[in-house]
Amino acid sequence: QLGQYEAAEHCYGRALQLDPHYADAHYNLGTMLQSRGRQHEAETCYRQVLIIKPGCVDALQTLVSLLHVQGRSMLALRTVMQALQSNDSAAAQRLFVACAKRLEFTQVDNDLRAAMVRALTAPWGRPSELARTSINLVKLNPDIAVCLTRVTDTWPLRLSRQKLFGTPGLTSVATDPLLCALLEATPVCDVAMERFLTQTRSHLLEAAAGTTDPEENDALMLRFYCALARQCFINEYVFAYSDDEMQTARDLKDSLTAALDTKTPLPALWLVAVAAYFPLHGVAQISQLLDRRWPDAVTALLLQQVHEPAAERRLRATIPQLTRIEDDVSLQVQTQYEENPYPRWIKTAPAGDAKSLNDYLRQKFPHARFTHAGQHGRVDILIAGCGTGLHPITTAQRIQDAHILAVDLSLSSLSYAQRKALEMGLTSIEFAQADLLKLATLGRTFEVIESSGVLHHLADPWRGWRALLSMLRPGGFMKLGFYSEIARRNIVRILHYVAAQGFRSTPDDIRRCRQELMKPDTHADFGTTLISPDFYSMSTCRDLLFHVHEHRMTLPAIKQFLDSNSLQFLGFEIESAILHTYQQRFPDDRAATQLDQWQIFEQENPDSFANMYQFWIQKAE
């Protein structure tokens, strides 16, 4: 603490002579060496700690962080996987996700594939974070890789079953456990994989309709077909189809409805194929199937497409309306999200240890100056624009004694959110329908207000921000998320293209627009959009490219608003790699709070805020 590093190093060395297994001395020595720039020696110390105490989370986290900063991310992942073998802790699982989501692989690794299946199904983190890495690993399956090449080389020509799957047939694809886990957990965000799955779906339909001989009907094959149907529901049927294909699907749906009318037995494959083209909850009398015995994979499909939507319909009637919705733009936005609740998430990261509000913010912004929140127990939090509930549920898990009011314009979104909260046993969230512009009339105030990706869809974002500030207590904290004018520049080009081509926000037009954007000649102009996971489901693509109203902000405008309202900027929530690069560029701004310098940084690195400006502020006492 006095800065006498040589003397400290001598003391640690002497302690380790006395007790070579003194883990704390190894760890503290490593921390000091790392602060002095002696990274290799620090790494040796951290590894020694993990030999002595394989479950030491602090040493594992610090070592992994050190390896990431050095650009040795693959070694970081191997280190975590080794730690998981001796101590399968939640902290190590979270580190696995943090490492794996950044990497690309060129060789098949069965241990990694097995860990990824667990990470998706448990889950160890948000499955969406692992989507690209999982797709990368699935593509390394040689049988799947051959199919992807065939589809890519001939698209949009539809290949026969034999030409698509070759001699091995569909079985070699269907028995890939990582592919099935991926399909059940999150939208598949890859053009080649989407096209392959689109053609595979058409062969499922042909088999169910009896126009081709179905392959083996064993449990693994049925599980794959069900996983494919669940993927179609998750992405809200964004896959393309031909007119003949859709007519066949409608005919099969009619046959399914007739069988339900007469209560006659029906093949499981009918049910699965229909579910791959239409949500089953829209089929008349479908609920009677819940009482029949089915294989586990079919039961899971019925849970997703029949039972859960029915639960949401029941919950919809119980959600209170706190304010009227009368603003023209608010009404347009409400209509969009009633039709397409956003986003349709399946699983979220497991809850870690909840922290006090002070500790939570101090961990996020260790060098920022802010007035500590009061220590009076309950923390009143407003989530303005809660969507389908992922935001308030995550906040409830992270902050101790959080009591949350989560409001949204859309009852469809709110009923989805309420169902997910009940499934997770969360009782500290109050869901309600309201327009945030009118919330102040309720007379309630909050210690924390969060509104991410919401205000920029208002007619006047600044008015909405002021409305939220009026409900924030003195000394309270606010988290906001705005589109960046710079980072969204490529999206704006596509918005002009969409308007010029006359595409509307209907499902059919969104499908057609996506297919145009995926063409090689169009892709060359707009390819960066295809990197966004939001491109790969109906609701997220509509939010990305077809929103009824949006604004884009700049850092100078945000800074001006902060200054004029006496608001203190605490920092951005941003990828650690971007923050590290900023701090190298501006080493004098240790707290990373100088927006003038962030403006320079964004101009030099225009994709830094591709996921919006996400930042925290504090209101003056």
Side-chain angles (χ1 to χ4, degrees), residues 78-217:
R78 299 298 176 198
T79 302
V80 173
M81 291 183 64
Q82 186 176 9
L84 282 167
Q85 292 176 0
S86 57
N87 182 24
D88 194 8
S89 66
Q93 292 169 357
R94 287 193 293 270
L95 278 174
F96 175 88
V97 174
C99 293
K101 69 181 183 180
R102 297 184 174 97
L103 297 175
E104 284 196 21
F105 302 90
T106 57
Q107 295 180 332
V108 175
D109 185 321
N110 290 329
D111 290 339
L112 179 58
R113 286 175 60 90
M116 193 65 72
V117 171
R118 291 184 61 204
L120 288 170
T121 55
W124 291 355
R126 291 186 185 180
S128 59
E129 294 182 296
L130 294 173
R132 290 203 178 279
T133 306
S134 299
I135 292 166
N136 172 206
L137 291 171
V138 168
K139 285 182 171 183
L140 294 176
N141 178 328
D143 293 326
I144 294 177
V146 170
C147 294
L148 292 175
T149 299
R150 291 171 183 149
V151 170
T152 300
D153 290 345
T154 58
W155 186 268
L157 178 67
R158 297 301 172 99
L159 300 177
S160 68
R161 197 181 193 89
Q162 175 62 33
K163 287 184 178 179
L164 177 58
F165 300 113
T167 303
L170 178 57
T171 303
S172 60
V173 174
T175 53
D176 187 316
L178 181 55
L179 175 58
C180 287
L182 173 67
L183 294 177
E184 292 170 353
T186 188
V188 172
C189 49
D190 180 84
V191 172
M193 281 294 297
E194 176 176 322
R195 288 173 171 172
F196 167 65
L197 294 172
T198 298
Q199 294 216 15
T200 302
R201 180 178 69 165
S202 69
H203 293 300
L204 161 62
L205 177 64
E206 290 172 356
T211 57
T212 63
D213 292 331
E215 292 203 18
E216 304 92 323
N217 284 319

Side-chain angles (χ1 to χ4, degrees), residues 56-89:
C56 181
V57 173
D58 288 341
L60 182 61
Q61 288 177 328
T62 309
L63 175 57
V64 166
S65 176
L66 173 64
L67 294 173
H68 273 313
V69 169
Q70 294 177 328
R72 302 158 69 192
S73 298
M74 193 66 74
L75 180 58
L77 179 62
R78 299 298 176 198
T79 302
V80 173
M81 291 183 64
Q82 186 176 9
L84 282 167
Q85 292 176 0
S86 57
N87 182 24
D88 194 8
S89 66

Side-chain angles (χ1 to χ4, degrees), residues 514-533:
R514 292 181 73 257
Q515 294 305 311
E516 288 298 318
L517 291 172
M518 286 191 282
K519 287 181 178 178
D521 53 343
T522 314
H523 186 180
D525 294 328
F526 305 126
T528 54
T529 300
L530 274 62
I531 298 173
S532 171

Side-chain angles (χ1 to χ4, degrees), residues 56 58 144 221 232 254 257 260 298 429 505:
C56 181
D58 288 341
I144 294 177
M221 186 67 69
C232 294
D254 290 341
T257 301
L260 291 170
V298 178
I429 307 174
S505 59

Side-chain angles (χ1 to χ4, degrees), residues 351-356 395-401:
D353 294 333
K355 296 179 172 62
S356 70
T395 299
Q397 293 174 331
R398 289 177 177 173
I399 298 180
Q400 289 176 355
D401 300 315

